[in-house]
């Protein structure tokens, strides 16, 4: 069973001369919303803000997938990332503890903690818990919410937390029926110096599961635009290379071809019309295996893209590659996007220092339908099983019809005579049957 929890965090308001953040907590089961609560959260304390900034800066030193022209040279002393990550996690949990919540009168509000703790009793270890934090604040979007102990303890595998904007709308996508459906994937690799050999191998392996990747390597802007306009549309857009966002996480740009200089760096806004068309056709997921992607995701979710996966900060290539490896490994097994990301994050935790597994995040449209690998094939006219049954019936008719006609006329001479006199009855049905089979 899948449970969903949303935290909608608004802008700062005043209560008793103190600034607070209004938060609407809602819990959903498979039938719909079951509980809602409004409370207020104190703004980020300075201690948490400072630890978060230290983590951002240190992680940024190791990232090699940021647009080159804006890279900064900063130096740090000896830093233990494990200690830094643990300190950030401790400050996060301190902020979100009971003492951090107040009611409309500015008094301590224990209700949020009580509701979340009571919710634990409804969850089995096999259940999946999907959480969405809705906020427009760049700093809040960057926090590792999955490290909040109250949420992380819900299941043995932890929980996956996506972020989203506070304003969104439901998207109605066109579905074009096709007999042989595939998961169409537009793949763009930017700076070849990053060595994409493994990522290319991971992407090509999707062909064994019905994937149909179309790969562009350091394309020109014209080549990318032509592919985005493909009449068949795309289910997944994947980019690996250099990218960056503005400091507020509102605007993003990618470098598709370093050889083209400024022309090879494209703001998502410049592709707005083409991306809108791709989303309206069938685009479900955009994955950016590149640095500092919150601005990219923000602009795409403004176009009502259902799901986006980006890196919160700068990322090193080793982490980006392993994320793709484990995410695809789980996703093609028909796990939900949240479950696949959770699995990938657990693998990153085993391979890298604490804090590096916090980089990837799902940016979701809360009104989007849940997506799995098999649901990308929803454009099929019929299920695989029914197509097999109909194919057997068609083959049987192809064999039985001519044999039946030949038997009915008791010999070749009589059949030939009637075929000349009444071809629309004798010959045409057989021809059309063969034609329909080959057309399929």
């Amino acid at each position: 069973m899948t449970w969903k929890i949303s935290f909608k965090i608004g802008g700062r308001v005043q209560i008793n001369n103190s600034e607070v953040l209004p938060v609407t907590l809602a819990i959903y089961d498979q039938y719909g919303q079951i509980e809602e609560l409004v409370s207020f959260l104190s703004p980020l304390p300075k201690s948490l803000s400072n630890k978060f900034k230290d983590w951002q800066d240190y992680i940024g030193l190791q990232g090699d997938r940021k647009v080159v022209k804006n890279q900064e040279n900063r130096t740090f002393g000896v830093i233990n990332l494990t200690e830094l990550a643990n300190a950030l996690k401790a400050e996060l949990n301190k902020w979100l503890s009971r003492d951090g919540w107040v009611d409309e009168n500015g008094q301590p509000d224990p209700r949020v903690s009580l509701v979340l703790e009571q919710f634990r009793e409804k969850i089995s270890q096999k259940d999946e818990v999907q959480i969405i934090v809705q906020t427009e604040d760049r700093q809040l979007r960057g926090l590792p919410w999955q490290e909040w102990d109250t949420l992380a303890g819900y299941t043995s595998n932890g929980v996956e937390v996506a972020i989203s904007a506070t304003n969104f709308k439901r998207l109605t996508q066109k579905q074009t029926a096709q007999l042989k459906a595939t998961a169409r994937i537009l793949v763009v690799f930017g700076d070849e110096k990053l060595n994409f050999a493994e990522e290319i191998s991971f992407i090509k392996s999707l062909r064994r599961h019905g994937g149909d990747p179309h790969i562009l390597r350091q394309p020109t802007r014209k080549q990318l635009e032509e592919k985005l306009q493909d009449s068949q549309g795309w289910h997944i857009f994947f980019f690996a290379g250099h990218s960056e966002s503005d400091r507020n996480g509102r605007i993003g740009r990618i470098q598709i071809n370093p050889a083209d200089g400024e022309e090879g760096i494209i703001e998502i806004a410049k592709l707005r019309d083409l991306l809108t068309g791709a989303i309206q056709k069938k685009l479900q997921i955009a994955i950016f295996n590149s640095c500092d992607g919150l601005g990219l995701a923000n602009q795409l979710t403004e176009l009502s893209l259902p799901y986006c996966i980006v890196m919160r900060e700068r990322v090193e290539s080793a982490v980006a590659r392993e994320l793709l490896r484990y995410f695809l490994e789980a996703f093609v097994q028909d796990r939900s996007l949240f479950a696949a990301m959770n699995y990938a994050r657990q693998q990153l935790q085993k391979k890298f220092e604490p804090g590096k597994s916090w980089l990837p995040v799902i940016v979701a449209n809360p009104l989007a339908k849940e997506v799995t690998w098999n649901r990308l094939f929803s454009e099929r006219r019929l299920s695989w099983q029914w197509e097999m049954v109909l194919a057997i019936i068609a083959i049987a008719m192809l064999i039985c019809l001519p044999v039946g006609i030949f038997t009915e006329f008791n010999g070749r001479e009589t059949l030939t005579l009637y075929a000349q006199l009444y071809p629309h009855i004798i010959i045409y049905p057989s021809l059309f049957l063969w034609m329909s089979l080959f057309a399929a």
Side-chain angles (χ1 to χ4, degrees):
M1 181 175 176
T2 299
W3 300 85
K4 296 184 179 182
I5 302 176
S6 73
F7 295 89
K8 187 172 184 178
I9 306 175
R12 297 189 180 196
V13 297
Q14 292 275 342
I15 291 183
N16 293 344
N17 298 320
S18 296
E19 287 190 331
V20 292
L21 302 171
V23 180
T24 301
L25 164 65
I27 299 177
Y28 304 81
D29 64 8
Q30 58 187 330
Y31 303 108
Q33 184 173 322
I34 60 175
E35 190 165 359
E36 183 175 286
L37 173 66
V38 177
S39 186
F40 299 88
L41 185 61
S42 61
L44 252 68
K46 188 174 181 180
S47 56
L48 173 56
S49 182
N50 289 341
K51 291 298 181 185
F52 176 63
K53 184 65 166 59
D54 290 343
W55 174 76
Q56 281 184 303
D57 291 342
Y58 186 73
I59 285 289
L61 288 175
Q62 302 173 54
D64 59 0
R65 293 199 171 193
K66 188 173 179 66
V67 174
V68 176
K69 71 183 186 72
N70 281 345
Q71 283 188 346
E72 303 169 9
N73 292 317
R74 288 175 292 181
T75 58
F76 279 73
V78 177
I79 293 179
N80 186 314
L81 184 56
T82 300
E83 292 180 1
L84 180 57
N86 289 337
L88 174 55
K89 178 179 176 180
E91 290 293 339
L92 176 70
N93 278 279
K94 182 179 178 181
W95 174 55
L96 295 171
S97 67
R98 293 191 180 208
D99 295 338
W101 300 89
V102 296
D103 61 21
E104 63 274 10
N105 299 314
Q107 300 300 312
D109 187 0
R111 295 176 302 160
V112 173
S113 296
L114 287 173
V115 167
L116 293 176
E117 289 169 4
Q118 290 170 359
F119 177 63
R120 185 193 310 272
E121 300 173 3
K122 302 178 182 180
I123 305 171
S124 73
Q125 286 299 309
K126 293 183 179 180
D127 288 344
E128 181 180 339
V129 182
Q130 301 177 358
I131 299 171
I132 297 182
V133 175
Q134 302 173 35
T135 178
E136 302 293 341
D137 186 275
R138 167 62 178 89
Q139 200 170 31
L140 294 179
R141 288 185 169 197
L143 292 174
W145 290 88
Q146 72 279 350
E147 300 303 314
W148 183 5
D149 288 340
T150 300
L151 304 180
Y154 281 156
T155 69
S156 58
N157 294 327
V159 296
E160 192 58 36
V161 181
I163 59 175
S164 84
T166 54
N167 300 307
F168 43 83
K169 60 182 179 180
R170 185 190 300 276
L171 175 68
T172 301
Q173 294 178 304
K174 301 173 183 177
Q175 296 290 314
T176 305
Q178 50 187 10
L179 190 59
K180 185 180 179 181
T182 56
R184 303 195 77 237
I185 309 164
L186 177 57
V187 182
V188 179
F189 289 106
D191 190 351
E192 292 284 353
K193 293 180 181 178
L194 293 175
N195 186 10
F196 299 120
E198 288 188 71
E199 283 153 293
I200 291 173
S201 176
F202 301 153
I203 293 292
K204 287 184 176 180
S205 71
L206 295 177
R207 290 172 178 157
R208 300 196 299 267
H209 305 277
D212 182 21
H214 294 245
I215 298 175
L216 299 177
R217 302 178 70 164
Q218 293 193 174
T220 63
R221 178 168 176 169
K222 182 179 180 181
Q223 290 173 328
L224 175 59
E225 290 176 343
E226 288 175 350
K227 279 293 186 180
L228 285 172
Q229 297 178 76
D230 191 292
S231 59
Q232 295 184 61
W234 307 98
H235 294 97
I236 299 174
F237 175 82
F238 174 83
F239 171 79
H242 298 298
S243 66
E244 66 177 3
S245 301
D246 71 334
R247 62 180 301 173
N248 296 319
R250 314 300 297 174
I251 299 171
R253 56 188 66 88
I254 59 176
Q255 184 184 57
I256 60 172
N257 193 333
D260 289 345
E262 291 294 325
E263 286 294 316
I265 300 174
I266 303 178
E267 280 193 16
I268 293 298
K270 300 295 184 182
L271 301 173
R272 182 182 180 90
D273 291 342
L274 296 178
L275 289 168
T276 298
I279 292 169
Q280 289 177 344
K281 285 178 184 175
K282 64 177 72 172
L283 189 62
Q284 298 290 316
I285 309 167
I287 303 173
F288 291 90
N289 227 18
S290 55
C291 285
D292 192 15
L294 288 178
L296 304 170
N298 178 69
Q299 291 182 287
L300 285 169
T301 52
E302 285 180 349
L303 304 180
S304 297
L305 176 69
Y307 298 97
C308 198
I309 296 175
V310 298
M311 300 293 178
R312 288 183 167 99
E313 310 294 339
R314 299 182 186 182
V315 64
E316 57 188 289
S317 289
V319 175
R321 278 193 289 268
E322 293 305 292
L323 170 74
L324 181 65
R325 176 203 303 271
Y326 292 114
F327 171 77
L328 294 179
E329 178 184 309
F331 193 53
V332 296
Q333 295 174 17
D334 210 36
R335 299 189 190 183
S336 73
L337 197 71
F338 283 75
M341 177 64 87
N342 182 252
Y343 171 77
R345 193 183 305 281
Q346 290 179 55
Q347 303 310 309
L348 294 182
Q349 288 173 350
K350 297 174 182 178
K351 287 198 168 188
F352 299 98
E353 296 172 275
K356 292 186 178 181
S357 66
W358 300 349
L359 289 169
V361 62
I362 298 172
V363 183
N365 180 340
L367 296 180
K369 296 179 180 178
E370 188 167 328
V371 62
T372 64
W373 179 256
N374 284 345
R375 288 184 184 180
L376 297 178
F377 299 85
S378 61
E379 294 167 305
R380 297 186 65 83
R381 291 173 182 163
L382 297 169
S383 67
W384 295 103
Q385 293 87 347
W386 275 108
E387 283 186 6
M388 186 176 296
V389 170
L390 292 180
I392 293 172
I393 293 174
I395 293 172
M397 291 179 64
L398 283 171
I399 296 173
C400 295
L401 182 60
V403 171
I405 293 174
F406 188 82
T407 304
E408 180 69 22
F409 289 95
N410 297 315
R412 181 177 178 180
E413 293 182 359
T414 307
L415 176 59
T416 302
L417 175 63
Y418 274 87
Q420 293 171 346
L421 294 174
Y422 308 106
H424 60 289
I425 297 176
I426 306 302
I427 299 177
Y428 294 166
S430 298
L431 289 177
F432 282 125
L433 200 57
W434 279 101
M435 290 169 61
S436 64
L437 182 66
F438 281 109

